[in-house]
Amino acid sequence: MTAKTAGAGFVWDPAVASHVYREDHPLKPKRLVAVKETLERLGAFARPGAKLLAPRAATRREIERIHEPDYVEAVMRASADPDDDYTRWGLDPDKDTPPFRGMHEVSLLTTGGSLVAMEEVLAGRARVAVNYSGGLHHAMARRAHGFCIYNDPAIVCATLADRGMKVAYVDIDAHHGDGVQAAFYDTDQVLNISLHESGETLFPGTGFASERGRGKGAGFSINVALPGYTDDAAYMRAFDAVVPPLVERYRPDVLVTQQGIDPHFTDPLTHLQISTRTREHAVRWFMRSPYPWVAMGGGGYSMDAVRRTWALEFLIMLDAPIPEELHDADPPMWTGPERRAIDEITDHAVRDALAAAW
Ligand SMILES: [Zn+2]
C-alpha cells in the first residue's frame, strides 16, 4: 500500500441522492446532484486520476460489525412499512430521524459506498476516495440518531481495525461525532479526533474534552469543543494545533475523515462561521499527509455551501486548480474585542483537547 498513489475516486450513483427523509427535512440527499454537476461542468471527471466509483450494497455482516441485529431488523421493517411505531429504535416520523420507505436499502448503499471508497484506497488504486453520501456519524449500535441510520464511518474504521490496521478518524462536521466515539471508546486502535461546535449550544450535546476514552482507549478520543461563532482564523489555528501533531504522533496506517460542511457560516443549523478557506486548509493537510485516505461527507444544510465546498474539496483531491467561483467571496472575520474573545475560548478548547491525549 503506497500513500502516494495518485488519483481520486468519487463515489456516485443517482440512487444515493434521490431519497427523501421527509418533505420538510433539512437533510436533502439531492444536494449531491449539485456537487456532481458542478464538478462535471468544471471538467473534473475528465482530469487525469479522476474516477467515478459505483457504490455497492453493504452486507448484513458488515452492518452488524457496529449495529445490533435487532436494530437492523427494525430498520428493515420500517423500510417496508414506515407507518408502524419504531420510536424505541430512534425512528420517529415527527423528529430528526423519521422512518421512510426504502430506508434500509438506500442506507446499505450509502454505507457500501464508503466501503467501496475504502477498498479503492487499500488496493492502491487511488490516493484518496470520497463518498459524500456517507459520513453518518451519529448512528448508534441500536438506535437511529441525528439523521443517521447506519454509521458508515464507524463501519469503515471497524473493518480496517479488524484487519489489524491503526486508524486515525478526523471528524470536521459541526456536530460531535458521538456514534463513532461510542463505537471505539475502549480501544486504542482508532484515534478519534472531532472538532465541532460545543455541545453546550449544539446537538448532540456531547463532545467535551473530558470524554477521552476509557481503559485501553483512554486518551484516544479527542474532542475540540469550539465556541459558536468560531471563524476561519480561530478554526484553522485549532485544526493546526491538534490534528497534524496528534495524527503524526499516532502514526496511523489509514486516515478516515468525515467532512460535513455544516460548520459553514451560511449553514442554518449551526453557529460556527467557517468558509471555504478553512476547508481548503484542512483538506490540503489531509492531501499532503502520507496516509492512505478514505473521505466521507456528513452534514451540510446550505445547498450552495455544500455544492461549492465539496466540489472544491474534490478538486484538491485531484490536485487540480480551484476556480475562484467555488470560494466564498467575503467570509466573516472577527476583529477587536470579539476577535480576542473567540481566540481565547478556542485556545482553551485546544489546550483541554491536547491535555486529554494519550
Ligand atoms: Zn453535522
Side-chain angles (χ1 to χ4, degrees), residues 137-138 173-175 258 260 262 270 298-301:
H137 60 170
H138 296 304
D173 191 277
H175 299 91
Q258 197 275 19
D262 46 10
T270 78
Y301 309 98

Side-chain angles (χ1 to χ4, degrees), residues 280-302:
E280 176 176 14
H281 181 82
V283 171
R284 285 205 189 280
W285 186 78
F286 296 147
M287 189 67 187
R288 272 199 314 279
S289 79
Y291 320 108
W293 173 24
V294 184
M296 295 157 201
Y301 309 98
S302 156

Side-chain angles (χ1 to χ4, degrees), residues 1 21 50 54 240 301:
M1 184 158 51
Y21 278 65
D240 289 349
Y301 309 98

Side-chain angles (χ1 to χ4, degrees), residues 132 171-174 195 232 235-236 239 258-264 272 274-286 293 296-299 305 308-310 312-313 316 322 327-328:
Y132 280 119
D171 186 321
I172 52 175
D173 191 277
L195 281 84
D232 281 337
Y235 192 107
M236 285 191 225
F239 182 91
Q258 197 275 19
Q259 298 177 189
I261 184 53
D262 46 10
H264 193 269
L272 296 180
I274 70 150
S275 78
T276 49
R277 302 289 167 188
T278 285
R279 203 40 82 86
E280 176 176 14
H281 181 82
V283 171
R284 285 205 189 280
W285 186 78
F286 296 147
W293 173 24
M296 295 157 201
R308 288 183 294 110
T309 311
W310 284 353
L312 175 152
E313 291 178 358
I316 296 172
I322 297 171
H327 270 300
D328 293 303

Side-chain angles (χ1 to χ4, degrees), residues 2-3 5 16 59 63 65 71 81 93 125 137 142 202 205 210 221-222 238 279 297 300 318 320-321 354:
T2 64
T5 312
V16 301
T59 64
I63 297 290
R65 175 60 181 79
Y71 170 66
D81 178 16
R125 292 190 292 266
H137 60 170
R142 47 187 301 116
L202 194 67
S210 55
S221 283
I222 308 294
R279 203 40 82 86
L318 282 173
L354 290 173

Side-chain angles (χ1 to χ4, degrees), residues 27-338:
L27 180 54
K28 301 196 186 305
K30 69 176 183 201
R31 65 196 174 144
L32 300 182
V33 175
V35 177
K36 166 83 173 7
E37 286 176 354
T38 299
L39 285 166
E40 240 157 33
R41 177 168 59 74
L42 295 169
F45 300 113
R47 296 192 74 92
K51 196 163 169 190
L52 285 169
L53 303 171
R56 63 171 174 84
T59 64
R60 180 91 186 252
R61 194 190 164 121
E62 287 167 332
I63 297 290
E64 289 181 2
R65 175 60 181 79
I66 291 294
H67 297 284
E68 301 281 343
D70 51 355
Y71 170 66
V72 178
E73 271 160 31
V75 174
M76 290 167 74
R77 287 196 304 276
S79 192
D81 178 16
D83 295 331
D84 211 344
D85 182 357
Y86 305 97
T87 47
R88 62 178 286 222
W89 305 104
L91 296 165
D92 186 322
D94 302 317
K95 297 205 173 136
D96 280 352
T97 322
F100 61 90
R101 190 166 298 282
M103 66 189 299
H104 172 66
E105 291 72 19
V106 77
S107 301
L108 290 183
L109 203 58
T110 57
T111 304
S114 294
L115 290 162
V116 164
M118 178 197 84
E119 285 151 6
E120 189 73 8
V121 168
L122 287 189
R125 292 190 292 266
R127 159 78 188 93
V128 54
V130 61
N131 174 26
Y132 280 119
S133 70
L136 300 167
H137 60 170
H138 296 304
M140 295 291 175
R142 47 187 301 116
R143 186 164 53 92
H145 185 47
F147 313 164
C148 302
I149 297 149
Y150 297 143
N151 195 322
D152 60 294
I155 290 165
V156 165
C157 291
T159 305
L160 291 165
D162 290 348
R163 295 186 195 175
M165 284 179 254
K166 286 172 74 181
V167 184
Y169 172 73
V170 180
D171 186 321
I172 52 175
D173 191 277
H175 299 91
H176 174 227
D178 56 347
V180 182
Q181 174 174 292
F184 304 107
Y185 210 56
D186 298 299
T187 177
D188 58 2
Q189 219 174 342
V190 178
L191 169 65
N192 186 333
I193 304 178
S194 182
L195 281 84
H196 46 262
E197 179 176 338
S198 170
E200 282 177 11
T201 49
L202 194 67
F203 177 92
T206 54
F208 298 98
S210 55
E211 298 160 35
R212 58 186 295 273
R214 105 191 119 210
K216 262 183 96 176
F220 294 93
S221 283
I222 308 294
N223 286 295
V224 187
L226 298 164
Y229 310 106
T230 294
D231 63 0
D232 281 337
Y235 192 107
M236 285 191 225
R237 240 191 22 257
F239 182 91
D240 289 349
V242 174
V243 177
L246 292 188
V247 173
E248 281 160 13
R249 194 204 303 176
Y250 186 68
R251 299 165 56 93
D253 297 302
V254 184
L255 173 69
V256 177
T257 59
Q258 197 275 19
Q259 298 177 189
I261 184 53
D262 46 10
H264 193 269
F265 69 92
T266 62
D267 195 277
L269 262 54
T270 78
H271 316 96
L272 296 180
Q273 295 210 331
I274 70 150
S275 78
T276 49
R277 302 289 167 188
T278 285
R279 203 40 82 86
E280 176 176 14
H281 181 82
V283 171
R284 285 205 189 280
W285 186 78
F286 296 147
M287 189 67 187
R288 272 199 314 279
S289 79
Y291 320 108
W293 173 24
V294 184
M296 295 157 201
Y301 309 98
S302 156
M303 293 301 122
D304 188 55
V306 170
R307 179 186 71 79
R308 288 183 294 110
T309 311
W310 284 353
L312 175 152
E313 291 178 358
F314 188 63
L315 289 175
I316 296 172
M317 294 174 190
L318 282 173
D319 211 10
I322 297 171
E324 202 51 36
E325 64 170 282
L326 297 183
H327 270 300
D328 293 303
D330 194 18
M333 167 82 79
W334 293 107
T335 54
E338 288 90 357

